[in-house]
Amino acid sequence: MKNYKEEAITEKKLIHVSTTCNKCGKTKEPEQVDHYIWETFAYDFAIHFKEGSQYEEQKWMFDICEECAIEFVKTFKIVPQYFNGSTSSQSQKVFDEWKKTGQINNALYYNSMLSSIKKGL
């Protein structure tokens, strides 16, 4: 027969309470977006510098809020791959328009998607 005793165990655990954007300094607390999901709408980045770089073997990690991430992407000259789900040559037009207005031009977007689908056939 096994004999047991009851014992209280305490455990230390890290609990995510907020994220601070390394660029603008705003701190955001997680908000519930689904029954089980809490989100801060901040994105973590890591840069692993390659051999030959002046920062060789360094790894920089930082968090950027959604607003700063969007502003950063708006500085790009070339459309990011899979911007708004498309990889066609029309994507650059959609991207350039989005950078100016902050809105996806639906007509350009759908033409971009159709062009992408036609190339796949």
Side-chain angles (χ1 to χ4, degrees), residues 38-102:
W38 289 76
E39 183 59 69
T40 58
F41 297 102
Y43 305 93
D44 45 312
F45 289 85
I47 301 173
H48 303 257
F49 289 92
K50 297 181 179 184
E51 187 176 331
S53 166
Q54 67 177 345
Y55 304 105
E56 185 175 331
E57 296 184 20
Q58 288 188 25
K59 179 180 177 182
W60 296 357
M61 297 171 63
F62 50 93
D63 296 296
I64 302 291
C65 70
E66 189 163 302
E67 293 84 8
C68 288
I70 290 168
E71 289 305 312
F72 174 61
V73 172
K74 284 183 176 181
T75 67
F76 293 4
K77 298 283 186 212
I78 299 171
V79 62
Q81 189 172 10
Y82 302 112
F83 174 78
N84 208 39
S86 177
T87 58
S88 75
S89 60
Q90 291 290 322
S91 297
Q92 187 67 47
K93 290 179 185 174
V94 174
F95 181 64
D96 291 339
E97 181 77 17
W98 171 79
K99 288 191 311 182
K100 292 176 190 170
T101 66

Side-chain angles (χ1 to χ4, degrees), residues 5 11 16 18 26-28 32 36 52 54 58 68 71-72 77 88 91 96 98 104 106 108 116 119:
K5 72 175 181 172
E11 174 183 345
H16 181 211
S18 67
K26 290 181 196 166
T27 297
K28 295 188 176 213
Q32 192 166 10
Y36 297 105
Q54 67 177 345
Q58 288 188 25
C68 288
E71 289 305 312
F72 174 61
K77 298 283 186 212
S88 75
S91 297
D96 291 339
W98 171 79
I104 299 294
N106 287 326
L108 280 176
S116 210
K119 286 182 180 179

